Amino acid sequence: MPNPALLEPVDYLVIGHVAHDLTPEGPRLGGTVAYSALTARALGLRVGIVTAAGPETSLAPLSDIPVVSIKSPNSTTFENIYTEHGRIQFLRAQAERIDLDRVPEAWRRASIIHLGPIASEVDALLPASFSPALLGLTPQGWMRQWDAEGRVSRTAWKNAEPVLARANVVVISREDVGGNDELLEHLAQQTRVLVVTEGAAGAVLFWHGDRRRFRAPRVAEVDATGAGDVFAAAFFVRLFNTRDPWEATRFATLVASRSITRIGLDGIPTPREIEECTLEVLH
């Protein structure tokens, strides 16, 4: 772990657990922090990660990004089992909680701070010492619960109102709320900008009392894992640069659609894809 006192400032800070995903092909690095950090870096930002992980997880794919990793006996480990009735998800292990006091001082003023929990591992309210220009939330991890066997299910986001009021942007998936449109409308009224990702259908933006749908281009889907996290990072960065939520949603939709054509972290956008998406948005 790098010496926090020697760390340079970053533009994009993402906080949350990396995931140790169990797949039929073997364990794979995942989690919001991995996908979003690599996407932000691909978009040209200086990126930092604060996470917690066990010794079984290789952070090699993040080797070009400074990572503050809290030592933990285990990483947060998920296993997805696919049946004819849909996906069943299990939480097999959980890393240590992330204390926001562990965030380096130099990173607390990052232009964009992204809270990306996957298993309720970090507090949703930032301390007063943090001063991002844009606070982005992907609240999936605050909307999960699991039973004694580790089977994951949806739960209500507790004490969400004060968190939503402070956030600049919230990106959530329709799956996170079980398709509850009434809940989505309620969330949209509590925060400045809400984006709802809908997989192959694209995304819906709620802003200033307006609601607009953005269709995703049709592509050959190979692996949709992490697409929502790629979307979130692309949206946060584009919104910060343009202050235009409509343009940011269009851009993020295009970038995320390309990510699902490859497996896992190989879906991080390439320079050519970023250029293509930028040109398509501008024209």
Side-chain angles (χ1 to χ4, degrees):
M1 187 170 73
N3 183 343
L6 301 178
L7 290 171
E8 296 291 328
V10 296
D11 307 308
Y12 189 109
L13 170 63
V14 57
I15 305 171
H17 282 170
V18 292
H20 191 78
D21 289 331
L22 303 179
T23 76
E25 294 76 32
R28 182 192 298 170
L29 180 66
T32 296
V33 293
Y35 284 94
S36 293
L38 289 168
T39 299
R41 189 192 64 174
L43 291 166
L45 275 69
R46 300 174 299 170
V47 179
I49 294 172
V50 176
T51 190
E56 74 275 29
T57 303
S58 170
L59 301 182
L62 308 175
S63 59
D64 292 335
I65 296 174
V67 177
V68 173
S69 182
I70 299 164
K71 288 185 178 180
S72 183
N74 301 100
S75 294
T76 295
T77 303
F78 286 101
E79 182 178 11
N80 294 320
I81 299 172
Y82 294 91
T83 73
E84 60 184 19
H85 304 295
R87 183 183 73 169
I88 302 173
Q89 186 174 59
F90 287 89
L91 180 67
R92 299 302 190 191
Q94 194 172 12
E96 297 290 332
R97 275 186 60 83
I98 298 173
D99 185 342
L100 290 171
D101 288 339
R102 299 291 294 273
V103 176
E105 290 285 344
W107 289 2
R108 299 184 184 192
R109 297 177 297 279
S111 297
I112 301 169
I113 294 182
H114 175 183
L115 294 181
I118 57 175
S120 299
E121 68 270 24
V122 64
D123 289 340
L125 286 172
L126 288 179
S129 59
F130 289 70
S131 55
L134 187 153
L135 174 59
L137 309 180
T138 48
Q140 180 184 61
W142 296 313
M143 304 176 76
R144 279 175 170 157
Q145 62 183 359
W146 45 91
D147 61 20
E149 296 181 351
R151 183 165 178 169
V152 176
S153 59
R154 287 188 300 273
T155 188
W157 182 3
K158 298 178 180 64
N159 304 314
E161 280 74 12
V163 181
L164 290 163
R166 292 192 187 185
N168 298 99
V169 191
V170 177
V171 175
I172 196 169
S173 77
R174 176 167 286 278
E175 183 183 13
D176 291 337
V177 298
N180 188 331
D181 287 314
E182 186 175 331
L183 176 55
L184 290 173
E185 291 285 353
H186 175 73
L187 294 174
Q189 292 168 9
Q190 305 296 314
T191 198
R192 296 175 180 85
V193 180
L194 177 74
V195 191
V196 182
T197 60
E198 298 187 331
V204 178
L205 170 66
F206 295 83
W207 181 50
H208 277 182
D210 199 0
R211 177 182 184 277
R212 187 180 299 183
R213 176 176 296 281
F214 293 78
R215 300 286 182 185
R218 290 187 178 182
V219 298
E221 180 178 322
V222 174
D223 182 10
T225 304
D229 303 317
V230 170
F231 179 102
F235 183 90
F236 296 156
V237 173
R238 191 72 176 182
L239 179 65
F240 178 77
N241 289 334
T242 68
R243 300 294 193 268
D244 185 340
W246 310 121
E247 183 176 316
T249 310
R250 180 62 177 150
F251 178 73
T253 301
L254 292 171
V255 170
S257 70
R258 284 159 168 79
S259 76
I260 67 173
T261 63
R262 299 185 293 276
I263 294 175
L265 293 174
D266 288 338
I268 299 302
T270 65
R272 180 176 178 178
E273 288 172 335
I274 291 169
E275 182 180 5
E276 290 172 349
C277 294
T278 301
L279 291 173
E280 190 167 341
V281 166
L282 295 177
H283 292 87

